[in-house]
């Protein structure tokens, strides 16, 4: 018996012999999973049907990866996935990075309330970043009494225990942790795609950009141990995964706080050596921590995708300072130059905030200037959203909505024009495409992604899903190509 099997046996022993639940994680959760499973089976015998769950993700890729873990736990408990909110358990994994993310959650909750009136046994659960805000919890306590389970970002691994509590205690369960230094490994996960997966390499954020709420709701930066990451990726590859997306709020600072520090570039070198893994992506790269070592590893890699998401936020050095981004316009431009010269086929994408407090017309022009110089493949543009508790929320000179909106429209137009030109540059080439799905609008077409993350549609068959095929790029439509497979 090898060490891993021994560990597994040990866990199973604990489940079957446990009188009370053990304090160790994740062993404790395996016990609650079993306890919940019995209750679910009982309910299934009563109703004569399987119980279902539905999870809606409102936030970023990290939020989405959390949802896969939550789905993994619910699946182990015995729930089946449902297509929509007409389910026995509905879980909203929320986001609070901008106010519109919050508003969407409140809007949808109204709809859930009406569904629950038809099915009083329905369970409604909320988790994710919004739940780490006190004002939100207060509002839910007062005005959303039909919500059964509420938890935050630090204790998603506890879902089985919280569900058990709810099912046996009847009144609602609210469990929010302010902070945590633990990382619970080895939770089950149900992946959305069999052939690709997100992999957390770190949690939290220490950067405190002055507009951003993430450090407050995700806690301090914690890196996972490289061996745990490598082991997870090897297991994913053994299970059919060929592409991984390494996730962290600032992957470029990965490993700095480990007992034995290692760099992100070194982690990438080790991941590259995993046999069977074909593509490596990562996000997000904070410009202040981009190293020459990383650029070299990317340039020399056969697996790291030709795409870097490189958030600018603003092109004005003055505003960048107030945003606490810790790089200047000139430094940012110099980095993109170096990236492009070392990795000529690299596609650059970015995030930009418009209407940050005190933003002048000159500041905004600086942003446009960077956009014109870098020529991004695409850019996510956001209207500044005031987040209570962040330094920017109390800054004077909040920008009037109309001014911000007008700048936003100008920026968007610029970004789109450039992107249509940049994205078409590979017309005529034959490039590898990872086939992801049948095209949503035309079932004779397949949809996949180039290494640089641009979508390609081409005639094919569903058997190609999850494989990499060579496709000739015939036409560019700005954000995607139409092509034809050169393999028969
Ligand atoms: N860690 C990543 C960003 C995560 S949040 C990074 O540092 O790049 C994703 C994006 O949301 C940010 O890049 C930023 O452009 C945007 N964002 C964050 N807070 C915002 C706010 N208060 N208003 C508008 N956009 C915001
Ligand atoms: Fe927010 Fe800045 Fe952290 Fe990104 S690096 S999550 S923008 S505080
Ligand atoms: Fe939103 Fe939380 Fe991600 S606030 S962007 S879901 S880290």
């Amino acid at each position: 018996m090898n060490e891993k099997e021994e560990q597994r046996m040990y866990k199973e022993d604990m489940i079957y012999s446990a009188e009370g639940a053990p304090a160790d994680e994740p062993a404790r959760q395996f016990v609650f999973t079993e306890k919940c499973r019995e209750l679910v089976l009982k309910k299934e015998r009563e109703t004569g049907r399987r119980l279902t769950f539905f999870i809606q993700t409102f936030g970023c890729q990290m939020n989405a990866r959390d949802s896969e873990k939550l789905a993994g736990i619910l699946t182990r408990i015995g729930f089946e996935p449902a297509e929509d909110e007409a389910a026995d358990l509905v879980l909203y994994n929320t986001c609070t990075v901008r106010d519109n993310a919050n508003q969407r959650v409140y809007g949808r909750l109204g709809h859930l309330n009406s569904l629950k009136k038809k099915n009083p046994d329905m369970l409604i659960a909320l988790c994710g970043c919004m739940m780490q805000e006190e004002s939100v919890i207060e509002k839910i306590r007062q005005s959303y009494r039909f919500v059964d389970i509420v938890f935050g970002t630090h204790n998603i691994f506890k879902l089985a225990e919280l569900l058990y509590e709810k099912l046996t205690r009847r009144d609602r369960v609210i469990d929010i942790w302010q902070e945590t230094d633990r990382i619970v490994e080895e939770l089950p996960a149900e992946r959305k795609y069999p052939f690709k997966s997100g992999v957390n390499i770190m949690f939290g954020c220490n950067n405190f950009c002055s507009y951003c709420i993430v450090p407050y709701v995700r806690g301090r930066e914690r890196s996972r141990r490289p061996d745990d990451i490598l082991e997870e990726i090897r297991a994913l590859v053994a299970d059919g995964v060929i592409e991984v997306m390494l996730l962290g709020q600032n992957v470029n600072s990965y490993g700095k706080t480990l007992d034995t520090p290692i760099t992100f570039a070194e982690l990438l070198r080790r991941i590259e050596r995993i046999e069977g893994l074909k593509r490596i992506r990562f996000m997000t790269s904070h410009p202040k921590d981009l190293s020459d070592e990383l650029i070299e590893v990317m340039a020399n890699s056969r697996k790291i995708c030709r795409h870097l998401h490189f958030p600018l936020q603003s092109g004005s050095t003055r505003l960048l300072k107030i945003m606490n981004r810790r790089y200047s316009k000139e430094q940012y431009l110099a980095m993109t130059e170096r990236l492009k010269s070392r990795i000529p086929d690299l596609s650059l994408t970015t995030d930009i905030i418009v209407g940050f407090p005190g933003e002048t017309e000159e500041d905004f022009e600086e942003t446009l200037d960077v956009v014109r110089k870098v020529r991004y493949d695409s850019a996510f543009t956001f209207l500044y959203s005031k987040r209570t508790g962040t330094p920017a929320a109390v800054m004077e000179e909040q920008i009037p909505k109309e001014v911000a909106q007008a700048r936003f429209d100008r920026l968007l137009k610029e970004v789109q024009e450039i992107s249509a030109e940049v994205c078409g540059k590979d017309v005529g080439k034959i490039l590898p495409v990872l086939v992801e799905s049948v095209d949503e609008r035309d079932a004779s077409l397949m949809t996949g992604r180039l290494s640089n993350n641009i979508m390609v549609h081409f005639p094919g068959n569903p058997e190609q899903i999850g494989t990499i095929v060579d496709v000739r790029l015939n036409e560019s439509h700005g954000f995607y190509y139409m092509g034809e497979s050169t393999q028969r």
Side-chain angles (χ1 to χ4, degrees):
M1 199 186 286
N2 67 29
E3 204 182 297
K4 234 169 121 187
E5 279 165 348
E6 240 169 45
Q7 276 177 5
R8 195 168 302 134
M9 285 294 292
Y10 164 74
K11 270 177 214 145
E12 284 176 3
D13 274 357
M14 294 200 60
I15 291 169
Y16 296 117
S17 68
E19 286 171 21
D24 292 359
E25 297 294 3
R28 180 179 177 84
Q29 296 312 313
F30 295 149
V31 172
F32 283 106
T33 301
E34 281 309 307
K35 287 174 186 270
C36 284
R37 194 173 162 70
E38 280 164 27
L39 294 175
V40 165
L41 282 171
K42 185 163 161 268
K43 182 90 183 163
E44 284 182 357
R45 282 193 295 273
E46 283 165 25
T47 55
R49 62 172 185 87
R50 293 287 304 268
L51 296 191
T52 58
F53 76 94
F54 179 77
I55 300 180
Q56 178 73 43
T57 305
F58 287 83
C60 61
Q61 262 123 337
M62 263 158 278
N63 211 226
R65 181 63 182 154
D66 286 348
S67 290
E68 293 186 345
K69 291 178 185 166
L70 294 162
I73 297 170
L74 293 175
T75 304
R76 291 283 167 96
I77 289 174
F79 286 93
E80 263 191 348
E83 292 288 301
D84 56 30
E85 276 128 321
D88 297 293
L89 189 161
V90 173
L91 173 56
Y92 282 170
N93 191 5
T94 63
C95 170
T96 186
V97 75
R98 287 170 294 273
D99 189 53
N100 51 9
N102 297 45
Q103 294 315 319
R104 276 180 31 227
V105 172
Y106 289 125
R108 295 272 288 266
L109 273 175
H111 173 55
L112 282 193
N113 192 20
S114 58
L115 287 175
K116 191 163 179 162
K117 283 187 180 132
K118 285 181 226 152
N119 175 12
D121 283 346
M122 178 181 176
L123 291 170
I124 298 175
L126 297 176
C127 68
C129 295
M130 237 174 111
M131 301 306 128
Q132 294 295 138
E133 290 182 274
E134 253 168 58
S135 59
V136 170
I137 297 300
E138 219 24 62
K139 186 161 169 172
I140 289 164
R141 267 187 212 282
Q142 306 279 339
S143 316
Y144 294 83
R145 293 173 180 276
F146 55 93
V147 174
D148 301 286
I149 303 173
V150 182
F151 54 104
T153 55
H154 301 300
N155 54 350
I156 64 160
F157 69 89
K158 261 185 85 178
L159 174 58
E161 183 169 349
L162 300 176
L163 180 62
Y164 184 75
E165 240 183 89
K166 167 67 204 168
L167 291 172
T168 51
R169 237 183 46 193
R170 285 289 148 200
D171 46 344
R172 69 162 142 188
V173 177
I174 299 181
D175 187 12
I176 310 290
W177 298 5
Q178 281 323 311
E179 190 43 275
T180 186
D181 53 7
R182 73 206 288 187
I183 297 175
V184 178
E185 299 283 350
E186 293 183 74
L187 287 174
E190 281 294 309
R191 293 195 303 279
K192 189 168 166 205
Y193 298 96
F195 51 86
K196 68 171 185 176
S197 181
V199 173
N200 296 108
I201 63 168
M202 57 209 297
F203 300 93
C205 181
N206 283 354
N207 290 313
F208 292 95
C209 302
S210 62
Y211 50 82
C212 183
I213 199 164
V214 171
Y216 305 89
V217 296
R218 287 270 168 180
R220 293 295 59 71
E221 183 181 295
R222 307 170 297 285
S223 292
R224 284 176 75 195
R225 284 196 307 268
D227 288 345
D228 290 333
I229 296 168
L230 291 164
E231 193 181 324
E232 178 175 343
I233 299 177
R234 280 190 209 105
L236 287 168
V237 170
D239 195 35
V241 165
I242 59 171
E243 175 180 302
V244 288
M245 166 75 95
L246 309 176
L247 299 171
Q249 292 299 351
N250 178 9
V251 293
N252 294 344
S253 76
Y254 169 79
K256 288 187 180 164
T257 53
L258 286 169
D259 292 341
T260 322
I262 84 162
T263 61
F264 179 51
E266 175 56 25
L267 178 71
L268 283 170
R269 276 193 209 103
R270 294 187 196 174
I271 294 173
E272 173 114 14
R273 290 198 286 266
I274 296 177
E275 225 170 286
L277 182 67
K278 302 256 170 65
R279 282 182 169 184
I280 304 168
R281 298 185 186 278
F282 52 82
M283 82 187 306
T284 300
S285 254
H286 194 307
K288 81 177 166 65
D289 294 309
L290 181 82
S291 66
D292 286 338
E293 188 195 10
L294 176 63
I295 299 179
E296 284 317 301
V297 168
M298 288 181 78
N300 296 322
S301 166
R302 284 177 306 111
K303 297 186 179 176
I304 300 174
C305 288
R306 278 10 204 170
H307 172 216
L308 186 71
H309 187 61
F310 203 48
L312 169 68
Q313 313 302 359
S314 167
S316 153
T317 298
R318 188 187 79 84
L319 273 196
L320 284 168
K321 204 169 166 72
I322 305 173
M323 288 177 162
N324 195 26
R325 291 291 287 180
R326 285 170 277 178
Y327 51 84
S328 65
K329 176 189 183 188
E330 289 67 33
Q331 285 167 329
Y332 184 93
L333 285 172
M335 284 183 266
T336 56
E337 280 308 311
R338 203 156 61 231
L339 282 160
K340 284 179 176 177
S341 70
R342 281 301 285 134
I343 316 165
D345 51 350
L346 184 71
S347 132
L348 284 169
T349 60
T350 200
D351 293 345
I352 298 170
I353 298 175
V354 178
F356 181 84
E359 183 187 68
T360 61
E361 179 59 27
E362 290 72 43
D363 292 320
F364 177 67
E365 292 284 344
E366 300 270 23
T367 300
L368 284 179
D369 187 45
V370 176
V371 166
R372 290 182 193 125
K373 289 196 163 109
V374 177
R375 298 179 60 77
Y376 297 102
D377 279 64
S378 68
F380 296 97
T381 49
F382 304 111
L383 273 174
Y384 167 73
S385 171
K386 187 165 156 177
R387 309 317 288 136
T388 308
T390 62
V394 291
M395 286 179 190
E396 285 163 19
E397 286 192 83
Q398 301 282 327
I399 302 294
K401 184 105 194 6
E402 322 74 67
V403 176
Q405 187 67 51
R407 286 181 191 155
F408 180 90
D409 295 343
R410 277 162 69 200
L411 175 66
L412 190 65
K413 187 160 168 283
E414 191 79 37
V415 158
Q416 286 176 342
E417 278 168 18
I418 293 173
S419 139
E421 289 167 27
V422 177
C423 294
K425 69 179 186 302
D426 289 324
V427 166
K429 287 191 191 157
I430 297 173
L431 291 175
V433 170
L434 170 53
V435 187
E436 297 198 340
S437 58
V438 175
D439 188 288
E440 276 174 15
R441 272 168 287 172
D442 180 345
S444 72
L445 299 180
M446 304 306 295
T447 295
R449 264 172 219 277
L450 297 170
S451 169
N452 71 10
N453 212 34
I454 292 181
M455 306 286 282
V456 181
H457 307 282
F458 66 97
N461 62 68
E463 275 160 32
Q464 291 168 315
I465 292 175
T467 66
I468 294 181
V469 300
D470 284 333
V471 175
R472 177 180 291 110
L473 307 177
N474 291 335
E475 289 165 35
S476 161
H477 291 251
F479 303 103
Y480 64 92
Y481 288 102
M482 297 302 295
E484 63 187 318
S485 159
T486 57
Q487 287 151 264
R488 287 283 151 205

